[in-house]
Amino acid sequence: MTEENDISKGERTRQAIIDAAHNVIIEKGYHAASMRQIAKQAGIAVGGIYNHFDGKEDIFAAIVMKRHPYKRILPIALAVGGEDIETFAHNTGQAIANELRANPDFVNLLFIEIVEFQGKHMAEIFQDVYPQVLPLLERFQSEDARDIPPMMLMRIFIGTFIAYYLTEISFSAAAMPTMEDEAMHHFVDVFLYGVLEK
């Protein structure tokens, strides 16, 4: 067997471990997930995991770096069109919400990182996604824009639409259908213009 085949088999096994761990951790939470459960789902012996990872936290770090929601949300936001800032913000908010709806495990992963790790991996994730942030922020540059630090603007922008999705899950059953139809419009309006009348 060639060295190239060995590497590709090793990479396939590593990916199988990441996929299995992702499924187990999303279902049970990080602390409740066991290495035995991960190995069983990956179809390997528990000892085989340690040929690729130091332990469960090392596996989780690999999951977060590959599958954190920011890794999908930012490219989607960059690809969205809009001839003006209002249209762009609305289209981006809708695209982000659609992606989160289609992948509910994104939010689970986000909360596991926040609750069980206190955001420990966010600095590394941020370094990885930072090159995508600047072109996104350039979309908001205009003579009318307030002077908000760029990284704060990114937090507010992404946070607004993650909040939209979370409140959609929480309140949509209790909300009147017409209120839910107009929800994205209100989120975009508050993001762009605030709450108070000028």
Side-chain angles (χ1 to χ4, degrees), residues 80-114:
V80 168
E83 59 280 356
D84 55 51
I85 193 65
E86 289 87 356
T87 306
F88 170 70
H90 189 277
N91 291 348
T92 303
Q94 199 62 60
I96 290 171
N98 290 343
E99 186 69 15
L100 292 172
R101 279 187 211 106
N103 297 283
D105 59 313
F106 282 178
V107 175
N108 293 347
L109 185 61
L110 182 67
F111 278 119
I112 290 168
E113 167 62 17
I114 292 168

Side-chain angles (χ1 to χ4, degrees), residues 1 10-11 23 32 40 42 66 71 77 87 91 116 124 129 142 162:
M1 188 175 274
E11 281 303 309
N23 294 339
K40 181 178 179 184
K66 287 179 82 78
K71 306 271 284 193
T87 306
N91 291 348
E116 299 194 54
E124 191 176 355
V129 300
S142 76
I162 289 178

Side-chain angles (χ1 to χ4, degrees), residues 129-140:
V129 300
Y130 182 74
Q132 298 172 56
V133 170
L134 295 178
L136 180 61
L137 294 175
E138 286 172 7
R139 298 293 301 265
F140 293 101

Side-chain angles (χ1 to χ4, degrees), residues 35-106:
M35 294 293 268
R36 186 174 305 284
Q37 292 163 334
I38 293 167
K40 181 178 179 184
Q41 189 154 114
I44 62 172
V46 174
I49 293 176
Y50 294 97
N51 294 327
H52 302 275
F53 296 97
D54 293 337
K56 189 166 69 167
E57 187 171 339
D58 191 29
I59 300 170
F60 184 76
I63 293 169
V64 167
M65 288 308 297
K66 287 179 82 78
R67 299 186 179 188
H68 193 278
Y70 285 5
K71 306 271 284 193
R72 290 284 292 275
I73 286 172
L74 288 170
I76 287 168
L78 284 171
V80 168
E83 59 280 356
D84 55 51
I85 193 65
E86 289 87 356
T87 306
F88 170 70
H90 189 277
N91 291 348
T92 303
Q94 199 62 60
I96 290 171
N98 290 343
E99 186 69 15
L100 292 172
R101 279 187 211 106
N103 297 283
D105 59 313
F106 282 178

Side-chain angles (χ1 to χ4, degrees), residues 74-194:
L74 288 170
I76 287 168
L78 284 171
V80 168
E83 59 280 356
D84 55 51
I85 193 65
E86 289 87 356
T87 306
F88 170 70
H90 189 277
N91 291 348
T92 303
Q94 199 62 60
I96 290 171
N98 290 343
E99 186 69 15
L100 292 172
R101 279 187 211 106
N103 297 283
D105 59 313
F106 282 178
V107 175
N108 293 347
L109 185 61
L110 182 67
F111 278 119
I112 290 168
E113 167 62 17
I114 292 168
V115 173
E116 299 194 54
F117 285 92
Q118 291 77 50
K120 175 180 178 178
H121 303 99
M122 287 308 297
E124 191 176 355
I125 292 164
F126 181 75
Q127 291 299 319
D128 195 45
V129 300
Y130 182 74
Q132 298 172 56
V133 170
L134 295 178
L136 180 61
L137 294 175
E138 286 172 7
R139 298 293 301 265
F140 293 101
Q141 299 301 315
S142 76
E143 294 176 8
D144 298 332
R146 292 173 55 198
D147 187 20
I148 299 172
M151 293 298 86
M152 188 58 63
L153 182 59
M154 187 211 72
R155 281 179 58 188
I156 294 166
F157 181 71
I158 298 296
T160 297
F161 299 114
I162 289 178
Y164 170 86
Y165 174 72
L166 293 176
T167 56
E168 180 182 67
I169 294 170
S170 304
F171 299 124
S172 63
M176 296 167 53
T178 55
M179 183 187 297
E180 202 51 42
D181 291 343
E182 299 171 359
M184 181 59 75
H185 167 76
H186 292 298
F187 269 76
V188 170
D189 189 62
V190 170
F191 167 73
L192 291 175
Y193 306 112

